[in-house]
Amino acid sequence: PRKSKFLTEKNANKEMVTQVGQILKKKGFKIFFVPDIEDLRHDYDWEDFDGVPIEMASYSLDIRLAVASAAKANLLWCGGTAAPFHFSSVKYITVANLNEESVTQKQSFFNNKGPKIGENPPWLNPESQIWDWTNITDLTADYVAGKVLGIAKV
């Protein structure tokens, strides 16, 4: 989960992600997570998250890709960590892409730079690699868990 001291507006909502994990556990999923490298090197706020941390994947793109490839589905927060998965077969959804508090996540940024809001970038698999365009302020645990369950079935 995203956790930065410097760009706090991009940080994952720990309470909501915890609720998503609880919903998925009730559906029989095992929860693993890759801590943000910045969080590991500082406060490690996610240490008490109810899931199994895979810390080595924080330091290695090869391990991160292998772990993500083995998962039924991956939940990513605000895009950047998805880059290694773009040209892979990794199943994932990335949420919190629209955030008016972040310069590189504002609607005006995407209008100028792309991808087009509401559409997946053209290089992603539209069935199993999803950019969700729900504004960060409108995300709920039930909504996100439903999206994760959807790509887990593909």
Side-chain angles (χ1 to χ4, degrees):
R2 173 115 183 170
K3 174 64 171 86
S4 173
K5 286 186 174 197
F6 305 103
L7 297 170
T8 57
E9 67 276 6
K10 290 184 167 192
N11 287 346
N13 179 328
K14 188 175 180 182
E15 181 180 334
M16 187 186 71
V17 174
T18 298
Q19 292 170 358
V20 170
Q22 291 168 349
I23 293 168
L24 295 175
K25 278 186 170 189
K26 287 179 184 174
K27 300 280 186 183
F29 283 78
K30 294 179 183 174
I31 307 299
F32 298 88
F33 71 100
V34 176
D36 188 303
I37 194 165
E38 189 178 334
D39 191 25
L40 276 176
R41 296 179 71 189
H42 292 101
D43 300 329
Y44 202 5
D45 289 342
W46 285 77
E47 185 173 26
D48 62 349
F49 180 70
D50 188 19
V52 178
I54 305 175
E55 294 176 2
M56 287 305 299
S58 300
Y59 297 97
S60 166
L61 291 178
D62 290 336
I63 295 172
R64 182 178 294 223
L65 188 57
V67 167
S69 295
K72 290 182 182 178
N74 295 273
L75 172 60
L76 305 169
W77 193 271
C78 110
T81 57
F85 306 154
H86 283 195
F87 300 98
S88 74
S89 60
V90 169
K91 295 180 181 183
Y92 70 90
I93 180 169
T94 179
V95 299
N97 293 305
L98 277 181
N99 179 352
E100 290 301 312
E101 300 297 318
S102 169
V103 173
T104 59
Q105 293 176 274
K106 290 183 180 200
Q107 186 166 351
S108 59
F109 176 86
F110 287 109
N111 289 343
N112 289 327
K113 302 287 185 183
K116 186 175 178 182
I117 292 177
E119 296 181 5
N120 252 13
W123 56 86
L124 300 182
N125 179 331
E127 294 178 8
S128 63
Q129 296 178 321
I130 310 296
W131 268 37
D132 185 84
W133 291 102
T134 304
N135 193 297
I136 192 170
T137 59
D138 297 326
L139 290 171
T140 67
D142 287 331
Y143 175 81
V144 173
K147 291 293 191 176
V148 172
L149 290 168
I151 62 168
K153 293 178 184 176
V154 175

